[in-house]
Amino acid sequence: MGLVSDVGAVERALVAYYEREAGDRAERPLDLQRVAARTRFISQLARHRPRMLEVGIGPGRDSVTFVARGIRVVGIDLSLEHARRARATGAEAIVATGREVDVLALR
């Protein structure tokens, strides 16, 4: 399996896909195992004043729960529509790739 030679083309294709899927993705029910894992994760964070970076925040289906529990969420997503929906959950969301963001500056 070789490396992708045109990362920009792949990212543009992903942006187009996620922009088309944003509404459907936001409305899909979450898998029960995912919800249980998220609940365990939140309980482990409860002792701290946590903040988290979510790469690929999507429409904020997980961030809404994190924010409700007092966790500061900063998300990165390729899709402007996903970022808009994630912001509506109370998360901070940046439209960018993981390659473009200086994560240390997000403190």
Side-chain angles (χ1 to χ4, degrees):
M1 189 163 154
L3 295 175
V4 174
S5 60
D6 188 354
V7 173
V10 172
E11 288 173 351
R12 288 188 297 278
L14 284 171
V15 168
Y17 170 77
Y18 286 126
E19 291 293 342
R20 283 191 310 272
E21 295 291 316
D24 289 342
R25 186 173 298 272
E27 300 303 321
R28 284 186 212 145
L30 290 174
D31 176 87
L32 294 179
Q33 287 180 314
R34 177 180 176 160
V35 172
R38 182 182 63 200
T39 300
R40 287 190 306 275
F41 180 65
I42 289 171
S43 70
Q44 291 174 358
L45 292 176
R47 295 179 219 101
H48 310 284
R49 293 184 54 102
R51 59 184 191 263
M52 64 183 296
L53 172 64
E54 187 173 358
V55 178
I57 195 168
R61 297 184 319 152
D62 290 312
S63 64
V64 68
T65 302
F66 293 129
V67 169
R69 296 290 188 95
I71 300 168
R72 178 180 171 227
V73 178
V74 177
I76 301 170
D77 205 280
L78 294 171
S79 165
L80 178 62
E81 181 61 17
H82 277 173
R84 184 189 68 74
R85 289 172 183 258
R87 287 182 194 118
T89 72
E92 299 171 48
I94 300 164
V95 178
T97 70
R99 296 180 304 113
E100 297 171 328
V101 174
D102 178 359
V103 295
L104 296 177
L106 296 177
R107 296 179 193 205

